């Protein structure tokens, strides 16, 4: 699955399962553009998904393929989030994204059954947000 496919799947799942008070967007970071614009966007380190959670907090999610790596600007953004106790997650698939969004309170309870995202993969205890914080 390509990174674009993961983005599309996550966005579609959010559309179905989002808490009614969740505000979210996906910046248009990808696609083809001239090299100057692409370089400028890359330097900004803008995450793939931005959220205002139902409790009013901001949160951010970066999507990579399993082999993908954060660039230095993305690492700096992640560190700023961690330093300011802002929820941030790096995910490599839709299962992890849904588990983390549920942890953050961004999804309706119907999206979660028996410790697993409804129709999705891993238990919340194994989610990347827990690992990211512990790996600091």
């Amino acid at each position: 699955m390509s990174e674009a496919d993961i983005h599309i799947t996550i966005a579609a799942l959010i559309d179905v399962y989002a808490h009614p008070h969740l505000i979210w967007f996906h910046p248009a970071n990808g696609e083809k553009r001239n090299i100057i614009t692409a370089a400028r966007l890359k330097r900004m380190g803008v995450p793939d998904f931005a959220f205002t959670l139902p409790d009013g907090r901001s949160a951010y999610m970066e999507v990579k393929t399993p082999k993908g790596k954060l660039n230095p600007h993305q690492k700096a953004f992640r560190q700023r989030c961690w330093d300011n106790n802002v929820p941030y997650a790096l995910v490599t698939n839709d299962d992890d994204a849904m588990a983390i969004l549920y942890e953050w309170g961004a999804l309706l309870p119907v999206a979660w059954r028996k410790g697993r995202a409804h129709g999705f993969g891993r238990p919340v205890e194994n989610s990347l947000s827990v690992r990211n914080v512990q790996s600091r």
Side-chain angles (χ1 to χ4, degrees), residues 8 10-11 32 43 56 66 81 85 93 105 109 124:
I8 290 165
I10 292 169
K32 291 188 178 189
R43 279 194 312 271
C81 287
N85 296 313
N93 59 63
V124 70

Side-chain angles (χ1 to χ4, degrees), residues 27-39:
N29 296 334
E31 305 308 318
K32 291 188 178 189
R33 51 184 94 239
N34 73 49
I35 196 159
I36 294 169
T37 302

